[in-house]
Amino acid sequence: MNSELDPTELLRESANEPDVAGDPAVVPSLHSSTSPQPSNMTTADGDDLSFAKVQTLMIDLPSADSESTDIDSPVDGFKYIQGIVQGQRAYIVTNLLGESEILFQPQMVWTIGRNREAALPLRDRAMSRRHAVLLYVPNIGFQLIDLNSMNGSFANGTRIQQRHLLKDGDRIRLGSINFMFFASQHYRTLDAIHPEVLARFNNTETHPADFIDYSALEDPEILFGRKTGDRRLTHQ
């Protein structure tokens, strides 16, 4: 996927192609309040191509007229997405693809779906090829936009109709995948610890005779940044 492509143009490319449910796709607006519709993307060859092209597996909702679902069950393996903001820039950390990894995107738009070209390509039959978009808007926050997926996107048990402003601790379900969303928009710099304590932590050599029991320090608070002047560490 071309990282320099405008996200709106990316979604507009296949506006006239049919969705898996047979309905024509309508171009969503990533920065408006109108309800977003699906877009199409190109997949690669191989097994991922075959998987991406299979029909979406429909999930039964609790009732025909209900737009909410219970996702209070434990998240398998504790899956998560964490949005991190530094100034006017943002990135995400997630383990939805396996091991935790940091994902930078220049326009701060992360596509999610069964399509191999998505920023988060997830092998889930209940997920549409173009299922949802995670978007960061400066001074507003992270938003989850459903791309008119067949099985919908849910936040805290409620189906998203247009877009959802994500909050720290939100429970999300896309297709049959449940995960948590965490948001980190504040940070602080911590005080340095005592240099001699740091030297002992960084010493990889084994010196049994010089072993220090940190619980027996004359001033244990030295580990927690309290001003102690040039007092030397002592041990019994």
Side-chain angles (χ1 to χ4, degrees):
M1 182 170 59
N2 187 348
S3 61
E4 300 300 325
L5 186 64
D6 180 79
T8 304
E9 293 297 328
L10 175 66
L11 295 171
R12 184 178 292 117
E13 285 183 350
S14 57
N16 296 321
E17 296 183 16
D19 192 13
V20 291
D23 297 328
V26 179
V27 181
S29 172
L30 293 179
H31 298 278
S32 69
S33 60
T34 50
S35 178
Q37 305 294 325
S39 61
N40 213 336
M41 286 189 261
T42 304
T43 57
D45 295 334
D47 293 340
D48 290 326
L49 174 62
S50 300
F51 183 81
K53 284 189 173 183
V54 298
Q55 187 173 6
T56 303
L57 185 65
M58 186 66 180
I59 294 179
D60 291 332
L61 295 177
S63 63
D65 58 351
S66 175
E67 290 299 324
S68 25
T69 184
D70 183 11
I71 60 170
D72 286 332
S73 57
V75 179
D76 293 339
F78 191 74
K79 299 297 184 180
Y80 73 92
I81 293 179
Q82 181 173 7
I84 300 176
V85 180
Q86 290 185 326
Q88 293 297 304
R89 303 300 302 169
Y91 58 93
I92 64 173
V93 181
T94 182
N95 66 349
L96 289 183
L97 301 179
E99 296 182 354
S100 294
E101 58 182 334
I102 302 172
L103 299 179
F104 292 92
Q105 208 284 336
Q107 293 129 326
M108 297 179 289
V109 178
W110 297 267
T111 53
I112 306 173
R114 208 170 66 235
N115 194 310
R116 189 175 183 271
E117 295 301 315
L120 288 171
L122 301 174
R123 296 179 65 88
D124 176 26
R125 281 289 308 276
M127 185 172 292
S128 298
R129 287 178 292 174
R130 306 161 309 279
H131 196 101
V133 163
L134 179 62
L135 169 73
Y136 176 72
V137 181
N139 303 317
I140 295 180
F142 287 92
Q143 298 180 343
L144 182 64
I145 304 173
D146 182 78
L147 300 179
N148 197 28
S149 62
M150 178 179 293
N151 289 310
S153 302
F154 295 81
N156 303 314
T158 301
R159 187 165 187 166
I160 297 172
Q161 297 298 328
Q162 296 183 356
R163 64 178 64 208
H164 174 75
L165 180 62
L166 292 166
K167 301 180 293 297
D168 187 39
D170 275 352
R171 297 172 292 115
I172 307 299
R173 194 190 86 184
L174 305 179
S176 65
I177 296 178
N178 295 333
F179 62 92
M180 299 293 295
F181 177 83
F182 301 105
S184 302
Q185 301 198 40
H186 305 285
Y187 64 91
R188 58 193 178 100
T189 301
L190 303 177
D191 293 335
I193 65 174
H194 192 283
E196 189 169 348
V197 174
L198 179 62
R200 291 179 179 273
F201 286 157
N202 290 333
N203 186 359
T204 59
E205 299 180 6
T206 302
H207 298 290
D210 294 331
F211 174 75
I212 181 169
D213 180 2
Y214 290 102
S215 65
L217 286 171
E218 178 182 338
D219 184 6
E221 291 297 321
I222 197 172
L223 284 171
F224 300 96
R226 199 174 72 180
K227 302 300 183 182
T228 57
D230 294 327
R231 177 179 294 175
R232 303 287 297 179
L233 295 181
T234 61
H235 61 88
Q236 297 177 346

